[in-house]
Amino acid sequence: MLRQFLIILTIVIIFIAVYFPTRHARHYNYIALQNIANELDLRKPIEIDYNLKNCTYHGVVLNNEDINIDSVYVTKTFNKTFIGGEYKPSRCLPLIKTALIVPYRSRPNHLNIFLNYMHSFLQRQNIHYRIFIVDQNDTSPFNRAKMLNFGATEAMKHKYNCLILHDVDLIPINTGNIYGCTKVPRHMSSSLDTFRYNLPYLTLFGGAAAISSEHFKKVHGMSNKFYGWGGEDDDFYRRLVQNDLEPCRFPPEISRYIMLPHEKQKASENRFKLLEESEQNQKTDGISSLSQNYIVKLEDLYTHIIVS
Amino acid sequence: MSYETSALCCCEYYDRNQERSHILTCCCDCEDLDEAFESLITGNQVSQKHKKGILLTMQNRFRIPWKGGAKQIAFDAILPIVIIPIMLLLASISLWWTFFSFTTVAIFLLFISNFLIRAVHHTKFFFVWTLTSVIVLYLIFEFIVIPFLEILLEENIALSMFIFGFVICLYLMKTRIKSISSIRESEAENGTSGQYYLQCTQCSICQLKIPDRDHHCVWFDCCIGKHNQCLFVLAIFFAIIALLYSSNLTLTSVCHPFTLYKTILLPDDCSEVYKLFELGLSFVAAVYSLIIAALLLVLLFHQILLISLGITLRDWTRLPLTKKLCLGLTMKRPNSRGICQNWKIVMCWTKNNHSISNQM
């Protein structure tokens, strides 16, 4: 009797251990396609041109199209941008003002593909945007979060109220994936091809994310202490949750991304230790503790921020 | 005398000639080995008898210490448990190692299979190979591929269902022999045994009389006859589905995937899998699954052909090549009752309708 009980108990334990949900990729909650336009954080620009009607974003989301992946690498035509990679739609008054902040170091091929693609992609969405490339120009390990902090500080000086923290190797392939902020922060790259278009875990906030500048200031930006690959996005997620800003997501059919091919980086070994430590010094570690030694250069297609 | 009757210590055992022996003496005193060596040195050919003798002695002496006397381990049954993990581990080093280790194992299998079937009559080598493959592939999937966090819970459950289907079919296939023997007993009681025994063939490997025997499958260690042929086909079918599905899940996780017709996810660039051990091992396991699936697919089509024609594997192997090329359609098939009936007999076999179908 006892033996049978023990056998059944072991089978049940093994069963639960094998099929435990957190061992698998997850389905996630998202804002329904029809409600997205209402959830967007739309604001009238300061300098209003009364001759223009407001832009609408409902159609952009609902007329979603999948872009053919082969066409990502093809040179595209797009309207000429202002110097520094800024663009404003001329037919209507944009209610979204986005700074696309891209941490970067020595991947010229990716940068060329990214800029060429993103300008043509973003110009279809009726938004006012500018691309900031934040270049880490030193020999220490890459610090993605710090670069994003620099980019965000510079973007906020130019009164961009929506910040999109974006990796240079991520390419959105749904035209309905609107590059604007929602009322709460949003994780954008929830359906990535290298993850089999699944979400690995629910608290993932890396890749591409949109957050309003007020919220970014409220959580003191990202931690500057994460050198190497991994950890900084999980830390940022914790900061958001502790400030009652539970991130949202869009449906998978408009959140698909492809990752430009490159070698997988090894995760930094001390990222879990850093994660524990950084909880205590959230208020001191962030955009307020940044040095100011960076140079801003205006290129044709982007604003180049060189951090040394 | 008192020494002879005392209980065995943990390292002792009774050997082939019912003599008491100790594990530590395993390398001494082997007549066959001595004689084989002698004939090798003198330039004569080692006789089949000596070869077999060496093997049997080796098998007899290969033991682990156990309470109440050392336990014998069948040497040939241990082999797959060692070979398969080593093969996969070596293959995960680089592309050349993958080629090398898979071809070596394939050639080794070709050579050893003939030898084993002849020399060790009831060898469990092939059955253990099947079991080890299933277990190793499943463990790699559950504990290396799943932790990549790219596979959904329902995909994992679906795969488990297919594997479960395969295991159930395999189990039923092996236990249906009992139904056969119960039929034989009941028919013997009723005095109808004469008609029944006419159809029976003795299987030299399982030492059983099997009615409508098709062949003995060494990989499942089981005789295939009309009574379990449908389970055999089903087991192969489940195995193919499980292998293809698991290799697709694994390859799309470790390689760069693309979508075909916006629905099916397939791998397209696997160039970086050997850079990390976990990726390499998963990739190699998926390749191994694909190879087995391809072989099983051929077997499945062959079985479907044979069932449709209403002939056994034995009949097929006797056919000349020209008739094989015509898919056996031109041969005389005395047991065939037309394609539909042939399938009906195989698929609807139960204890009760068995004798009826024989009388038709």
Side-chain angles (χ1 to χ4, degrees):
Chain A
M1 189 63 193
L2 183 74
R3 216 175 126 177
Q4 278 177 346
F5 176 73
L6 280 177
I7 290 172
I8 291 171
L9 194 72
T10 2
I11 290 174
V12 168
I13 289 173
I14 290 174
F15 203 79
I16 292 171
V18 165
Y19 297 110
F20 204 72
T22 52
R23 274 169 45 84
H24 301 83
R26 304 296 294 271
H27 292 289
Y28 52 90
N29 296 325
Y30 48 81
I31 302 168
L33 217 53
Q34 303 84 347
N35 301 337
I36 286 175
N38 303 328
E39 287 292 322
L40 284 175
D41 181 16
L42 304 176
R43 297 177 201 195
K44 288 250 166 166
I46 305 154
E47 63 282 9
I48 296 179
D49 185 346
Y50 290 98
N51 298 327
L52 289 175
K53 273 197 272 177
N54 288 348
C55 295
T56 55
Y57 299 99
H58 204 71
V60 177
V61 177
L62 290 182
N63 301 330
N64 172 48
E65 276 173 35
D66 295 348
I67 295 164
N68 185 6
I69 291 168
D70 298 324
S71 76
V72 168
Y73 304 95
V74 178
T75 315
K76 292 189 163 56
T77 52
F78 46 83
N79 299 328
K80 198 171 180 328
T81 60
F82 304 128
I83 192 151
E86 189 178 7
Y87 174 80
K88 233 176 174 179
S90 51
R91 279 176 295 172
C92 60
L93 198 64
L95 302 178
I96 293 175
K97 194 178 177 191
T98 297
L100 193 66
I101 304 162
V102 184
Y104 168 83
R105 175 150 85 178
S106 58
R107 279 194 201 160
N109 291 339
H110 284 180
L111 189 62
N112 285 336
I113 299 168
F114 180 80
L115 288 172
N116 166 51
Y117 180 86
M118 285 312 276
H119 278 295
S120 77
F121 176 82
L122 292 171
Q123 286 180 5
R124 295 188 213 171
Q125 295 194 339
N126 292 337
I127 59 172
H128 178 183
Y129 71 88
R130 180 162 173 181
I131 297 180
F132 294 86
I133 303 288
V134 195
D135 197 341
Q136 183 176 343
N137 194 13
D138 61 16
T139 49
S140 54
F142 191 55
N143 191 332
R144 176 174 180 267
K146 201 173 176 181
M147 296 307 112
L148 288 171
N149 279 341
F150 277 114
T153 334
E154 180 63 22
M156 284 189 280
K157 277 184 199 164
H158 297 277
K159 300 276 183 290
Y160 284 90
N161 53 40
C162 177
L163 311 174
I164 288 187
L165 320 174
H166 208 288
D167 283 354
V168 71
D169 53 1
L170 289 190
I171 300 286
I173 51 170
N174 297 115
T175 56
N177 188 358
I178 191 136
Y179 267 52
C181 286
T182 37
K183 284 164 188 162
V184 286
R186 172 161 74 102
H187 178 231
M188 301 169 82
S189 57
S190 53
S191 186
L192 185 57
D193 69 336
T194 50
F195 294 152
R196 304 183 69 243
Y197 296 105
N198 289 330
L199 185 70
Y201 53 98
L202 292 177
T203 61
L204 183 73
F205 204 65
I211 182 170
S212 70
S213 50
E214 290 86 13
H215 289 158
F216 195 78
K217 269 186 210 154
K218 192 181 171 191
V219 300
H220 306 284
M222 300 179 85
S223 169
N224 292 315
K225 295 188 172 164
F226 287 85
Y227 286 89
W229 188 91
E232 82 291 340
D233 46 343
D234 297 326
D235 177 69
F236 193 53
Y237 188 88
R238 285 191 196 182
R239 287 181 181 220
L240 293 175
V241 172
Q242 278 164 15
N243 287 286
D244 294 321
L245 294 169
E246 183 80 42
C248 68
R249 292 193 173 93
F250 281 175
E253 62 264 31
I254 64 163
S255 318
R256 276 197 282 271
Y257 279 77
I258 62 163
M259 189 182 268
L260 297 176
H262 65 82
E263 281 183 25
K264 275 187 187 168
Q265 281 130 332
K266 227 180 168 185
S268 96
E269 273 162 21
N270 59 350
R271 67 187 199 278
F272 297 114
K273 205 177 124 217
L274 279 169
L275 255 179
E276 274 172 34
E277 281 174 11
S278 70
E279 277 206 82
Q280 288 116 37
N281 43 26
Q282 262 184 33
K283 295 213 166 83
T284 50
D285 174 23
I287 33 174
S288 51
S289 64
L290 278 180
S291 65
Q292 292 299 315
N293 49 350
Y294 63 86
I295 309 160
V296 179
K297 264 190 186 171
L298 298 182
E299 308 279 343
D300 281 344
L301 293 178
Y302 59 97
T303 305
H304 199 179
I305 302 173
I306 301 161
V307 181
S308 48
Chain B
M1 216 38 205
S2 64
Y3 173 79
E4 279 293 319
T5 50
S6 71
L8 292 172
C9 93
C10 73
C11 297
E12 284 179 318
Y13 63 95
Y14 290 107
D15 73 3
R16 258 188 332 137
N17 309 323
Q18 296 306 313
E19 283 164 15
R20 227 182 142 114
S21 320
H22 196 274
I23 290 187
L24 293 180
T25 62
C26 67
C27 299
C28 331
D29 185 36
C30 177
E31 276 176 43
D32 291 304
L33 187 68
D34 293 341
E35 280 169 37
F37 232 79
E38 204 174 287
S39 44
L40 253 185
I41 289 167
T42 50
N44 296 329
Q45 199 153 31
V46 183
S47 74
Q48 195 67 35
K49 192 191 131 215
H50 290 319
K51 270 192 202 165
K52 211 170 162 177
I54 294 169
L55 202 82
L56 283 175
T57 313
M58 229 164 77
Q59 211 180 59
N60 195 275
R61 291 187 184 172
F62 192 68
R63 281 161 190 266
I64 45 166
W66 200 263
K67 210 174 97 184
K71 279 228 163 160
Q72 185 180 350
I73 318 164
F75 185 67
D76 52 314
I78 292 295
L79 223 50
I81 302 177
V82 181
I83 292 176
I84 293 175
I86 290 180
M87 170 186 82
L88 292 178
L89 285 176
L90 284 181
S92 65
I93 297 174
S94 74
L95 188 63
W96 287 112
W97 275 99
T98 310
F99 274 122
F100 172 74
S101 107
F102 281 174
T103 40
T104 315
V105 168
I107 292 165
F108 169 76
L109 266 183
L110 279 179
F111 275 105
I112 204 168
S113 56
N114 273 329
F115 172 71
L116 269 181
I117 290 169
R118 255 185 279 125
V120 192
H121 219 66
H122 311 289
T123 179
K124 295 272 182 212
F125 175 84
F126 302 97
F127 184 56
V128 175
W129 188 285
T130 312
L131 282 187
T132 320
S133 296
V134 172
I135 291 168
V136 166
L137 289 177
Y138 186 66
L139 286 181
I140 288 180
F141 183 80
E142 281 298 341
F143 295 103
I144 295 179
V145 182
I146 290 280
F148 289 140
L149 294 176
E150 294 180 20
I151 287 159
L152 294 167
L153 179 60
E154 55 263 39
E155 289 168 327
N156 190 6
I157 290 177
L159 178 66
S160 304
M161 290 295 198
F162 294 136
I163 296 172
F164 186 69
F166 167 73
V167 172
I168 287 289
C169 286
L170 187 59
Y171 175 76
L172 286 178
M173 208 163 91
K174 286 174 83 83
T175 49
R176 266 207 184 169
I177 289 285
K178 279 176 197 151
S179 328
I180 289 288
S181 53
S182 75
I183 290 174
R184 193 188 298 155
E185 277 164 23
S186 68
E187 288 194 352
E189 279 170 22
N190 299 339
T192 50
S193 60
Q195 178 261 337
Y196 181 81
Y197 271 98
L198 279 177
Q199 313 260 340
C200 276
T201 326
Q202 174 92 13
C203 172
S204 59
I205 298 171
C206 31
Q207 304 288 326
L208 281 171
K209 282 200 160 71
I210 310 289
D212 300 311
R213 181 172 171 277
D214 191 73
H215 66 287
H216 183 91
C217 178
V218 285
W219 299 100
F220 293 159
D221 188 33
C222 180
C223 241
I224 311 297
K226 281 277 182 292
H227 63 292
N228 60 4
Q229 200 161 14
C230 72
L231 288 169
F232 181 62
V233 173
L234 261 183
I236 296 174
F237 178 73
F238 274 121
I240 291 172
I241 301 268
L243 288 167
L244 287 180
Y245 191 51
S246 76
S247 62
N248 179 271
L249 289 179
T250 308
L251 287 177
T252 48
S253 293
V254 300
C255 301
H256 186 271
F258 74 101
T259 42
L260 191 70
Y261 306 124
K262 294 189 181 174
T263 44
I264 310 162
L265 208 58
L266 289 173
D268 62 355
D269 176 18
C270 296
S271 51
E272 287 177 16
V273 288
Y274 293 107
K275 288 186 178 153
L276 259 173
F277 172 69
E278 286 92 346
L279 293 180
L281 193 60
S282 321
F283 174 74
V284 162
V287 172
Y288 181 55
S289 311
L290 278 181
I291 294 171
I292 303 176
L295 294 173
L296 283 181
L297 208 59
V298 174
L299 183 64
L300 182 68
F301 280 124
H302 195 208
Q303 277 293 317
I304 289 174
L305 178 71
L306 292 187
I307 294 175
S308 309
L309 291 176
I311 57 173
T312 63
L313 193 66
R314 230 177 133 79
D315 301 333
W316 176 264
T317 42
R318 281 181 193 157
L319 283 182
L321 185 67
T322 47
K323 286 195 175 173
K324 274 187 189 166
L325 286 176
C326 307
L327 298 177
L329 288 169
T330 51
M331 74 179 284
K332 277 181 190 160
R333 287 168 281 150
N335 291 325
S336 175
R337 300 191 177 94
I339 184 161
C340 295
Q341 273 296 319
N342 287 341
W343 274 96
K344 205 177 152 191
I345 291 167
V346 168
M347 283 300 156
C348 311
W349 189 93
T350 59
K351 245 185 266 185
N352 301 328
N353 72 12
H354 166 72
S355 39
I356 303 165
S357 71
N358 269 349
Q359 278 158 9
M360 266 164 54

